[in-house]
Amino acid sequence: MKKRQKQITVLVHGAMIAAIYAAATYLSAVFGIAYGNVQFRLSEALTILSVFTPAAIPGLTVGCIIGNLSSPFGIWDIVFGSLATLLSAACARKMRNITIKGLPLLSILMPVIFNAFIVGAEITFLFPTDAPSLTAFTVAALEVGAGEAAVCLAGGIPLYYAVKKSKLFK
């Protein structure tokens, strides 16, 4: 019975994370900051949850798929943006025990790195200036990465300490 209860708990945690991620993405979209070259998706602060629970990996991915349904990049963002979230959440989970002064900084940086490269490439190819180039990609990756870093650091670090203190995920 305990195994079944644990499975249900993991499923519920994943579903809650997905719902909160999607809602926070849509809230960011209301303010015009969820999609584009510089993104400040409030939902990306939730990526730190993969440090605490494996349920965050599918939860964040499903939430991203739902959140990207309204993306101007269409199916490309649903597939590749969600892939970036899946890879970053899985890598963040793997690196959760590597800390700097007690903070899983590498885990926090995984969404920054994956989104910068994958979403940066997506923007470069879907909205080329003259023609896709290394310079256009570099600019797009830096813009996406900067927005991602701002949210993951400014939102993710306080969320990390709040969740750690609350012992929400045991």
Side-chain angles (χ1 to χ4, degrees):
M1 186 65 170
K2 284 192 178 208
K3 183 178 180 184
R4 181 82 170 143
Q5 186 178 12
K6 183 165 175 70
Q7 290 173 330
I8 292 170
T9 300
V10 168
L11 180 66
V12 169
H13 284 167
M16 288 176 18
I17 291 167
I20 295 167
Y21 185 102
T25 299
Y26 288 131
L27 177 62
S28 300
V30 167
F31 295 103
I33 57 174
Y35 311 105
N37 289 32
V38 181
Q39 304 175 7
F40 292 102
R41 285 188 182 192
L42 303 173
S43 51
E44 288 297 303
L46 298 173
T47 58
I48 192 63
L49 295 179
S50 61
V51 167
F52 297 102
T53 177
I57 298 169
L60 293 166
T61 304
V62 170
C64 188
I65 290 168
I66 295 167
N68 284 344
L69 290 174
S70 66
S71 171
F73 302 112
I75 191 69
W76 297 101
D77 208 18
I78 294 168
V79 172
F80 293 107
S82 301
L83 176 65
T85 298
L86 171 64
L87 293 172
S88 66
C91 288
R93 178 82 185 151
K94 289 281 187 192
M95 296 182 172
R96 70 187 180 277
N97 294 322
I98 302 170
T99 61
I100 299 169
K101 295 188 178 185
L103 186 65
L105 196 55
L106 292 177
S107 293
I108 293 170
L109 292 177
M110 289 299 102
V112 176
I113 294 166
F114 280 100
N115 280 289
F117 281 99
I118 295 173
V119 177
E122 188 180 319
I123 289 169
T124 302
F125 288 105
L126 293 177
F127 294 103
T129 48
D130 290 328
S133 68
L134 182 57
T135 303
F137 167 72
T138 302
V139 169
L142 289 173
E143 288 173 336
V144 170
E148 189 76 19
V151 174
C152 288
L153 294 171
I157 292 174
L159 182 59
Y160 170 77
Y161 286 118
V163 172
K164 185 176 178 181
K165 184 177 179 181
S166 73
K167 299 180 181 168
L168 180 64
F169 300 104
K170 296 176 185 177

